[in-house]
Amino acid sequence: AAFGAALPLPQWKGRSPSVNHVHHRSLTMTGNPTSPELREARKLSVAPMMDYTDRFDRYFLRQISKRALLYTEMVTTGAIIHGDRDRHLWFEEAEHPIVLQLGGSDPKALAQCAKIGQDYGYDEINLNVGCPSERVSSGFFGACLMAKPDLVAECVGEMTAATRVPVTVKHRIGI
């Protein structure tokens, strides 16, 4: 049997996770080469899940697999720029390879946060253009950005210019 085939699906807030909670697509949007470790880690990644993939969960998951690519919960640009950065960005060295997922739609703020994420030691920066939550969409980030491809391109361009680590985009197949 495949790993985990006999295990029941965990319950999150009273519901089973949908495919969108477990899988996502990331496209490398930079010309920066990725390290062999990141290429290897892409074979198995743990999707970012708000309220779940915090530093404790990621540390636990790292004990299960040393090679999986781990993502943070989505962190908004406002939380990084105006909030407690260490609370949102600090992670254990053992969590590598690790990706910081950002939420926002202001290209300059995203670039600033991408640089901050790089300085914290993240292996990759990911822009969330896939979260369907109404709470997220009301802040003009997440899946609603799929209807604004020119803005997303501008955001990715600014982020790429601000950092040396790969910049990726989480998106959905459709809006």
Side-chain angles (χ1 to χ4, degrees):
F3 174 76
L7 298 176
L9 286 174
Q11 295 292 309
W12 283 287
K13 292 186 181 174
R15 66 184 195 282
S16 295
S18 69
V19 169
N20 290 328
H21 284 105
V22 180
H23 300 292
H24 70 283
R25 294 177 178 221
S26 286
L27 300 175
T28 300
M29 300 295 286
T30 69
N32 299 342
T34 58
S35 68
E37 293 81 14
L38 271 178
R39 281 194 302 274
E40 179 67 22
R42 287 190 196 291
K43 293 179 181 178
L44 173 66
S45 62
V46 176
M49 294 176 278
M50 287 178 63
D51 299 326
Y52 298 102
T53 52
D54 61 17
R55 69 179 62 146
F56 306 107
D57 180 62
R58 293 188 314 264
Y59 189 81
F60 170 73
L61 291 169
R62 183 55 71 217
Q63 306 312 303
I64 295 170
S65 173
K66 300 291 184 203
R67 298 189 307 186
L69 187 59
L70 301 179
Y71 285 74
T72 66
E73 299 173 274
M74 179 181 60
V75 183
T76 65
T77 55
I80 294 172
I81 294 169
H82 305 293
D84 182 349
R85 285 186 188 161
D86 283 342
R87 178 176 169 259
H88 295 292
L89 299 177
W90 183 87
F91 62 92
E92 291 282 346
E93 196 63 30
E95 292 178 58
H96 284 287
I98 184 168
V99 180
L100 170 61
Q101 186 182 80
L102 295 175
S105 58
D106 178 321
K108 298 292 184 200
L110 284 163
Q112 180 182 355
C113 291
K115 173 73 169 89
I116 292 167
Q118 173 188 283
D119 293 346
Y120 264 78
Y122 283 91
D123 299 297
E124 180 177 300
I125 308 297
N126 179 267
L127 176 60
N128 184 322
V129 182
C131 184
S133 162
E134 286 183 29
R135 183 177 85 181
V136 167
S137 294
S138 68
F140 198 60
F141 52 95
C144 67
L145 290 178
M146 289 180 61
K148 303 284 185 185
D150 292 338
L151 177 59
V152 172
E154 183 181 353
C155 291
V156 170
E158 292 286 335
M159 293 167 70
T160 300
T163 183
R164 293 179 312 278
V165 298
V167 172
T168 58
V169 174
K170 173 192 173 188
H171 64 91
R172 295 186 175 275
I173 293 172
I175 300 175

